[in-house]
Amino acid sequence: MPSNEEGSGMDGELARLASVDLNLLVPLLALLDERSVTNAASRIGLSQPAMSHGLTRMRRMFNDELLVRQGRGMVLTPRAAELLPALRQTLTQTARLVNAAPFDPATDSRLITVAMTNSTAFVIGSTITRLLAERAPNTVLRLRTTSSATIAVFAEDAADVILLPETFATPHPRERLYDDRWVVVTSWDSPRDANALELLEIVPHVVLDASPERLRPYEILDQHKVPYTVGQRVSDYLFIPHLIARAGGVAVHRYQVGLEFEGRFDLRMEEFPFPIQTLGIDMVWNPWLAEDPFKDWLRGILVEAAVPLRARYGPPAVPAA
């Protein structure tokens, strides 16, 4: 049983909470999501004047502007950005408490958001979509492409889970979903007797032009003083294997992506010729998503979707030199 001090503290918190108009929290979430008084009012069935009045009261309650004009739109203040994830989780949990209905995938109609890179979406997105359509036909799946696991992805995009390459840092716990690695991809028009290192030296490279940081394979090539030439730069990472298969060239790419293209185009894959960190894909869960039956169920869906990827993944065909 709680001590008198603990009880007094809880009573004090409840007393302060009783002085707050909790009816403002649902409109507040709508405002922070929509960044628009008009859209937020429409979303929850209020008039625009009522929502504007509510925003004034919210600003007074939090002693913060919450939304400020920037150009033609509105942006969140730092305080609002801090409030958003906890507010979303609190209201979601409250809704489930009030509804008091156990999670049933056959009847649940929630929006499920899974964030991932476009390469991961290419490899596993369609399987996740199919499984969710079969197991939870009333839900709506939203696939969001991202390359980070920041609070913004969870707070602003309301992602339930991010499928993140292991080389990308995150402050949140992560669980391995499936494995991947770097490989060398080229067309069958490239010299047949050339090994991976020779291909990287003699065939013009197709590289990603919009990468915020240099890919690790190229850092390693530079460390080993491997000479190479860049023939093309493209902004879409997934376009590289297609371009190579049709027009020639060589690139470093993901093994699982290469397998998908190998079955569709005339593409050849070789192991990267030097030791390099793997590219496993991890599940990073929204820290405000409670450990409830929905999370366990969605984890099971993702793990099942990854079964074929784990089954076709093997060690490098030849040891890295």
Side-chain angles (χ1 to χ4, degrees):
M1 298 215 27
S3 66
N4 289 337
E5 289 186 1
E6 289 174 334
S8 298
M10 183 177 297
D11 289 344
E13 291 292 334
L14 290 175
R16 284 190 291 273
L17 188 61
S19 67
V20 175
D21 186 355
L22 298 180
N23 290 322
L24 292 173
L25 296 184
V26 172
L28 175 59
L29 179 59
L31 277 166
L32 300 189
D33 274 343
E34 300 292 340
R35 276 90 156 160
S36 163
V37 171
T38 301
N39 293 346
S42 175
R43 172 172 160 178
I44 62 173
L46 287 180
S47 67
Q48 185 171 339
M51 182 61 78
S52 296
H53 178 64
L55 177 57
T56 299
R57 296 178 62 199
M58 295 171 208
R59 285 169 166 165
R60 189 161 51 244
M61 181 170 69
F62 288 100
N63 193 29
D64 188 87
E65 286 297 297
L66 300 176
L67 288 170
V68 294
R69 177 71 59 184
Q70 186 175 91
R72 296 183 178 181
M74 303 285 283
V75 298
L76 302 184
T77 65
R79 173 63 171 145
E82 180 185 9
L83 285 171
L84 180 54
L87 178 64
R88 189 192 310 282
Q89 178 61 22
T90 298
L91 292 180
T92 299
Q93 293 297 101
T94 301
R96 291 173 187 168
L97 177 65
V98 171
N99 293 334
F103 172 71
D104 181 358
T107 58
D108 198 274
S109 59
R110 77 183 67 200
L111 175 68
I112 300 173
T113 301
V114 182
M116 62 189 80
T117 65
N118 60 352
S119 294
T120 304
F122 179 73
V123 168
I124 199 174
S126 59
T127 307
I128 296 172
T129 301
R130 177 180 56 79
L131 289 175
L132 284 175
E134 292 174 354
R135 311 289 172 75
N138 297 313
T139 61
V140 176
L141 173 63
R142 179 173 61 179
L143 294 179
R144 301 298 298 269
T145 56
T146 182
S147 59
S148 68
T150 63
I151 291 295
V153 179
F154 294 124
E156 298 178 15
D157 295 336
D160 295 300
V161 62
I162 303 173
L163 306 186
L164 194 72
E166 67 176 292
T167 51
F168 287 53
T170 174
H172 309 298
R174 55 203 305 165
E175 308 170 55
R176 180 55 48 86
L177 183 59
Y178 66 87
D179 292 310
D180 209 345
R181 64 178 182 267
W182 291 109
V183 291
V184 176
V185 295
T186 190
S187 72
W188 282 104
D189 293 334
S190 296
R192 299 291 181 93
D193 57 348
N195 61 30
L197 181 57
E198 292 167 337
L199 290 169
L200 291 170
E201 291 177 340
I202 64 178
V203 179
H205 288 227
V206 182
V207 299
L208 184 65
D209 194 35
S211 177
E213 56 186 23
R214 201 136 190 264
L215 292 179
R216 179 60 180 157
Y218 283 97
E219 294 178 351
I220 292 176
L221 292 180
D222 290 343
Q223 290 170 6
H224 287 271
K225 296 181 169 52
V226 175
Y228 59 88
T229 58
V230 175
Q232 286 180 292
R233 296 180 180 274
V234 299
S235 61
D236 189 333
Y237 194 53
L238 283 179
F239 183 53
I240 291 176
H242 177 271
L243 187 63
I244 287 175
R246 295 299 178 90
V250 69
V252 287
H253 219 289
R254 299 176 182 276
Y255 173 77
Q256 297 281 10
V257 173
L259 284 180
E260 293 289 334
F261 275 99
E262 198 177 36
R264 294 172 170 84
F265 299 103
D266 189 17
L267 197 69
R268 169 186 168 192
M269 277 199 306
E270 300 287 346
E271 297 297 336
F272 189 73
F274 300 104
I276 189 171
Q277 183 179 354
T278 57
L279 287 170
I281 303 300
D282 297 332
M283 295 177 286
V284 180
W285 293 94
N286 187 321
W288 294 279
L289 186 64
E291 291 287 349
D292 60 14
F294 165 70
K295 181 178 177 180
D296 293 338
W297 174 83
L298 182 56
R299 179 188 284 109
I301 290 291
L302 297 177
V303 169
E304 183 176 346
V307 167
L309 304 180
R310 294 197 299 272
R312 71 185 189 179
Y313 184 87
V318 293

